[in-house]
Amino acid sequence: GVPHEMKDMLERAVIPDLKRRSGDPSVIVSRTLRTWGESESGLNERLDPVIHRLEEAGNPTLAFLASGWEGIKVRLTARAPDRAGALALIEPYEADIRAELGSQVFGTDDDTMESVVLDLMRSRGLTLGLAESVTGGLVGARITGIAGASDVLRGSIVSYASQVKFEVLGVPEGPVVNEPTAVAMAVGARRVLGSDVGLALTGVAGPSEQDGMPVGTLCIGLVMPDAEPISTTVRLPGQRQQMREFSVISALDLLRRTLPAG
């Protein structure tokens, strides 16, 4: 083997000197922006001017990573002699991307939509009650996967059968894949669970349509304290499981965007 003294000299002097002479930076650093609200092709088009400048510079580089209910990741990667230098290369491009995408950027690196929402709710002293139909408890499962979720989440009512919507949540009898039902579910969840905020999801995951609504339809209802209810309908792609996963991040994103500033 290499004598200890020689190995020490190589590590301290010779190898760093060779790296400097070769011009080969020794550190690779990535910064990932988590986004939701636009397709990968839509993001690519929106960020085309930034992408063009990055291609001309050659360092950093940019990649899109479509990651299901983790969102679409926009990853900047830089090479430099040290971490501080790599971050200095990344920062101006990150600022440009954030300026272009605005509130579509919900987090950075290891953030998830549920971790971001939990932190926002906790900082505002708000509790959450869920009513889930199409997702069958997936929203609650994602939130309770985070340590400390009990500070915020009161519970989730999985009202999969229409009769449970009517009898437990007080939804008026009739078709159940629509915005008024989603709002009534959110109101019911807030009342039954004693939470500040009620969030509800109803929709059609497939394989066939329901109440005349096509597969991929998601209706979200949201009730905040001292505010008019909010509802929206979105059309989501994918097979049954993918649609359900996209429903989770879409509903939590509506809550994130609606939470008051401060």
Side-chain angles (χ1 to χ4, degrees), residues 181-259:
T181 294
V183 167
M185 288 170 64
V187 169
R190 190 168 176 244
R191 183 189 70 250
V192 172
L193 296 168
S195 60
D196 300 310
V197 176
L199 178 65
L201 303 85
T202 181
V204 189
S208 54
E209 67 174 32
Q210 182 182 350
D211 295 342
M213 303 297 279
V215 173
T217 302
L218 172 69
C219 301
I220 309 168
L222 176 60
V223 183
M224 304 288 291
D226 307 315
E228 287 296 309
I230 295 168
S231 62
T232 189
T233 300
V234 293
R235 288 292 308 280
L236 298 169
Q239 299 298 316
R240 184 178 180 84
Q241 185 61 17
Q242 187 182 44
M243 183 270 167
R244 282 153 47 93
E245 291 178 356
F246 284 166
S247 295
V248 173
I249 189 172
S250 297
L252 289 173
D253 191 45
L254 178 64
L255 174 54
R256 174 185 70 95
R257 291 168 181 267
T258 306
L259 283 166

Side-chain angles (χ1 to χ4, degrees), residues 34-48:
R34 302 288 194 106
T35 78
W36 189 250
E38 197 161 357
S39 67
E40 187 177 345
S41 60
L43 285 175
N44 205 319
E45 191 172 326
R46 286 270 299 279
L47 296 176
D48 189 61

